[in-house]
Structures are given as C-alpha cells and as structure tokens.
Amino acid sequence: MHYQICVRCVMDTTDAEISFDESGVCSHCKSHEARVAQAPFSQSDAGEKLAALVARIKARAKGEYDCIIGLSGGVDSSYVAYQAIQLGLKPLAVHFDNGWNSELAVKNIERMVKKLNLDLITYVIDWEEFRDIQRSFFKANVIDIEMVTDHAIFAALFKLAKQHKIRYILSGTNVATESIMPKAWQHFKFDLLNLMAIQKKFGQLKVRSYPTISIWHMAWNKYMSGFQSVPILNYLPYKKEEAIATLKAELGWEYYGGKHYESLFTKYYQAHILPKKFGVDKRKVHLSDLIMNGEVTRELALKELEKPPYTESALASDREYICKKLGFSQVEHDAYLNASAVSHFDYPSYAKIAMALVKIYRKVQYN
Amino acid sequence: MLRIRVIPCLLLKGRGLVKTTRFKDPQYIGDPINAIKIFNDKEVDELVLLDVLASVEGKGPNFEVIEEIANECFMPVAYGGGITNLEQIRKILKLGIEKVVLNEAAFQHPELISAAAAEFGSQSIVVSMDVKRKLFGKYEVYRARGTKSTGLDPVAFALTVSKLGAGEIFLTAIDRDGTMEGYDLELIKQIARAVPIPVIASGGAGKIGDFREATHCGGASAVAAGAMFVFHGKHRGVLITYPEADALKQAFL
Ligand SMILES: [Zn+2]
C-alpha cells in the first residue's frame, strides 16, 4: 500500500480505513466538518439551545446537585466544570483515581475545587484489582488498554449519579477537538463482554470492586429514568487554546503538555506503546482536530509530528516507573512491545451490535 | 532544616493506603506508590509510614512493600509496624528507610529501644505513642492501634522511652485522628515539656494554623498530618495535597 497524507489535515494511511477524494482531502476531516455542522453550537439558535438545556438540567434536579462532572485535571473536564459554574449549575465533582495520577493533575483538581467551591468525591479504585486488569490487556495484546480506565470512569459516574439522585452527567466529549478517531485505533469503551473475556482469560484476580456497566444497563437507565450524559462543550464554541487561557487566568490552572497527559499511564501509552507496538501516532488525530478547529496550521502540525513523542530521558524514567507499577520486568515489557497486535474482536465482544445502537443514539442525542 | 518539619503520615494496610478516623473505619485511599510519587513532586519534608496490620496480625514488616516504597521516595521516611527485633531494623534501614518507628516493641521488649539506639544511633529510632483522653481529662497510653489500654501515664511513658534512647516521640491523640479538628494541645504540652527529645505532634491537623499552635503553643518540634493531606471537603474526596513552601514559611513566622 502506498503512503498518502491528507492535504488539509495530517491524517494519513497509517489508518488503513482512511479514504481520500480526488483532490486529496481525507474522510476524517470531512466527517469532522459534518459533526461540527450538526452540533448545537453551530446552529443559529445555539444560545437558546444551551439555555434550554441548562433550564432542563436545573428543573430536573432532585437532590443537592443537578449534574455530575468527572474531573481528571485535564483541559476538557476542567473547562466543563468551569462552564457549569458560569451557567449557574450545581455540579458534584467526581475524580476517578486509578493509581496513575500525576502531581499536576491532582494540583489542578485542587485548584478547581477550591476556586469553584466544588464538592468533590474521589472514586478510588482498588489498585491491585485495577492493575491486574491492565496487565490482562497487555497480555491480550489488544490496542485499547485505556478501555480499562474509560469504562470504569463511566460506570463509576453512573453509580455515583444514582446514589446522589443526579440525572445528568456533563461530559467533556466534544466535536470541536475530538471528532477524528480511526475505528481501529480504539475499541468501543462499553464492550463489557470484551473486557470481562480478556480479564477471564489473562487475569489473576476476580473482578470484585472494579465498576462496570453493560450497554443494556445504560440503555435501561436512559430510557427508564431519563438518565443521560450531555456533551455540554458541543453547546459552546470550544477552542482548546482559549479554554486553557481561561482556566489559567481564572483558576491558576496549569497545562501538562499533551492531550490526556494528566495521567502518567496515558502519557506512556499514547507516546510510546501506541507508536511502538501498534504503529499509531495519536498526535495526528489531536492535531488534525485542532487544524479543523482553526487552532493550528497544517505546517505547524507537520513540524510537531517530526519531533519524537518522548524525550529520551523522560521515556527511560517513565518506562521504568510503568514497568515497576505494573509488575512487568523490562524483558517482559520489551517482548510485549515486539509481539504482534491482536484484535479486540479475537475475543468475545458485543461491540458490533452496540455500535449500531450508538449510531441511533447519536442521531437523537441533541433532541 | 530552616523551619519546622511538616510530615504526612500514611497508613499502610496490606498493599494499600488507608485513612482512619479515631483509629477506626479505615477508608481505602489508593496505591502507596502513586501517593508517594505525588508527595515527591510536592517536595514534602519527610514521610511517616505506619503499617496498621503488621503488629496486630503478628506478621512483622512486609519488606517487599517497604523496599518498593523506599525506592520511590525522595524524602526521608520513617517506617513503623511489626518491628520486634534488631535484625528487622537492620534490614529496613538497609533498604533505604531513614528511621524506624517502634510502638508495640516499647511495651513488649523495651530493651530493643536501647539496643537499636546503640547500634544505629538515636536519630534513627522513633517511638510512637497513642494516647486517649479518659474521663476527667486524664490521659492514658493505648497499644495495638488503640484497642488495648495499658494503664500507663503518657508523661511517665515518654520519659521512659526517652531514657531508653529514643531519638524522637511520635505522639498521636487517638480521639483527634482523622477529625481535622485541631491537635490536642494540652497533651502535646505535657509531653513536650517533660522530655528532652523532639516530639512530633499527630492527630487532628485540619489547617495550616494548627501546625503553628502545635509548635508555638504546644512545644512540638515537628508536626504530622494524615487526613488534611489526603482528603478534601465534606465528602472527604481523596485529594493529595501539601501546603506551598511560602504558606508554611508564613505559618511558622
Ligand atoms: Zn483530512
């Protein structure tokens, strides 16, 4: 297969499913455009839509809080919290601690909760169990190790929302800076069947306290109790640079350099495991989104991509820490990096049925 | 050291960290290695790490966990839990831990304090004492994580261990543990006045001002805090924190 890169964004044929039109523009930036065009903030009545959403969230509050926000210390979730307060909402902040927090992330959360006067609950996952599941995903050689975290965050938020009688989760997901994602570069996060199958095959511990949620349970919650996750940033014109500047100025917040680098594991996963083992450079996705969002020029993005994702010294020390925490020897870890990837679909999965359902859900989510 | 030491006190239960309230209801707060990495970046003065099960279950120190922790720590660490003999102390110090904390041993084999001080120097030997306030304000030393009364008077006990060669006393007010309602100043005063060695105040710290009280009014040489450095707000959300250097400097002026 010959190499090709989009003339507008920086997505290329490292995504096997990418397609280009006759002028060399790729399918990803086109879908970015389409998704942005559909989002509430692009409509002429964007202001009314947001006001109506806020009114609905407030009106449906049953307890002390009207919504729940997952705080990671990263830009998107921090900005959601900031906006929620600006909009007069009463959020419960939940931080999910999976044992990989960086000091900077924790410090950002501290600044947020203090300055915005947020009530905070930390969902601390049992590290021994979590580690065992992460280890299983390494042993399974599947690409989406982050599914172990992402699934649990959502499940934990659902659990806590229920406990506190909250109907809305305000999520940081947004079309402006997160539209592009090749299918093969991640797996469906709610594929509980897949997660459990991998853990059953490779794990040493039984899943006891790790929070899980099945798609059936999610659907039930949504349709029976009107429980839902709202991508609130899609109701606002969202620019990453502006969000960072606002958070810095208003809350003393600090950037940690790199999307999702607030977690030590995520940094290593994105900047080393993905490129090394799976031939995936996620920076292409983030930069392409930013190009489409008018925040970065293509020239600058290309220059950024020429740099290695890790400096030598940071890589060495992070690698040692990651191996130590996960209980892999350097030799085992090298063998892992060199072993071929295995598809998530080689293990039991209900992702295909679920994705079909999600497509329907996406169509109705702004209603 | 220019100012008074401010020491996070972490409780180890098995391989996880917990935080208790009045020595009860241990709440899981996560992986010690991650917590220590964060405390490293926050440049804390010193850490006290106590294994709450090691003595109670009679297992002795878990050297594997101690080694992992020692390898991760940039700051000086004092370890306590399950230590009953010199050989264990030797091993722990060799792993890179700066001080050992003796508690149960002070009741069962007080001669261990002298022997350890003789071999490793008093500066490496901390004796911890857990004290409960009884009716009519009388204090009593408790052992086995506050479950067994000893009938001992704290001042007499502190004097004894100090004479045996302890280099420091880690003094915890059981009734204040995890409450963040402030230190037991009366208790700190009584002990600090009586012994010639440094007293580390523990139990009850909830704000920076409490540190100043413990040292300026109570006479403590150093202060320790648990809940204050790991919890935030009314839901006690786990959030590792440590005061900024400026704030601490200000507090002890
Ligand atoms: Zn493109």
Side-chain angles (χ1 to χ4, degrees), chain A residues 85-150:
Chain A
I85 296 298
Q86 301 303 305
L87 293 166
L89 295 170
K90 184 81 177 73
L92 170 65
V94 174
H95 172 57
F96 181 80
D97 180 346
N98 67 354
W100 291 104
N101 273 331
S102 69
E103 193 272 334
L104 202 48
V106 173
K107 187 83 202 176
N108 276 339
I109 293 169
E110 183 180 350
R111 288 180 180 120
M112 307 273 305
V113 295
K114 284 186 175 164
K115 286 265 169 87
L116 297 175
N117 202 13
L118 295 168
D119 285 346
L120 173 76
I121 288 182
T122 307
Y123 195 103
V124 184
I125 199 151
D126 181 276
W127 166 246
E128 297 302 317
E129 195 175 314
F130 187 79
R131 176 175 93 151
D132 195 58
I133 304 174
Q134 275 194 318
R135 280 174 59 90
S136 299
F137 271 62
F138 276 82
K139 292 178 193 160
N141 287 298
V142 290
I143 190 165
D144 201 346
I145 310 176
E146 287 293 65
M147 189 177 152
V148 182
T149 296
D150 296 336

Side-chain angles (χ1 to χ4, degrees), chain A residues 177-248:
Chain A
T177 71
E178 292 185 332
S179 267
I180 300 174
M181 185 53 73
K183 272 202 206 101
W185 291 13
Q186 67 172 23
H187 190 65
F188 179 61
K189 306 288 185 183
F190 302 110
D191 195 348
L192 183 57
L193 182 62
N194 198 235
L195 192 144
M196 293 308 237
I198 288 171
Q199 176 61 9
K200 194 169 176 205
K201 180 151 184 200
F202 300 101
Q204 273 156 354
L205 301 178
K206 261 218 154 78
V207 174
R208 289 177 200 278
S209 61
Y210 173 88
T212 57
I213 187 161
S214 68
I215 43 166
W216 325 118
H217 191 177
M218 273 169 65
W220 174 263
N221 270 299
K222 175 158 171 56
Y223 292 105
M224 294 312 287
S225 41
F227 185 84
Q228 61 177 309
S229 173
V230 178
I232 191 140
L233 298 180
N234 287 349
Y235 288 78
L236 306 155
Y238 183 56
K239 293 243 193 274
K240 190 139 289 190
E241 281 305 316
E242 283 171 20
I244 291 175
T246 304
L247 292 170
K248 272 185 180 163

Side-chain angles (χ1 to χ4, degrees), chain A residues 6-11 25-30:
Chain A
C6 175
V7 296
R8 187 161 61 170
C9 71
V10 291
M11 292 303 293
V25 173
C26 85
S27 43
H28 290 298
C29 50
K30 276 187 199 152

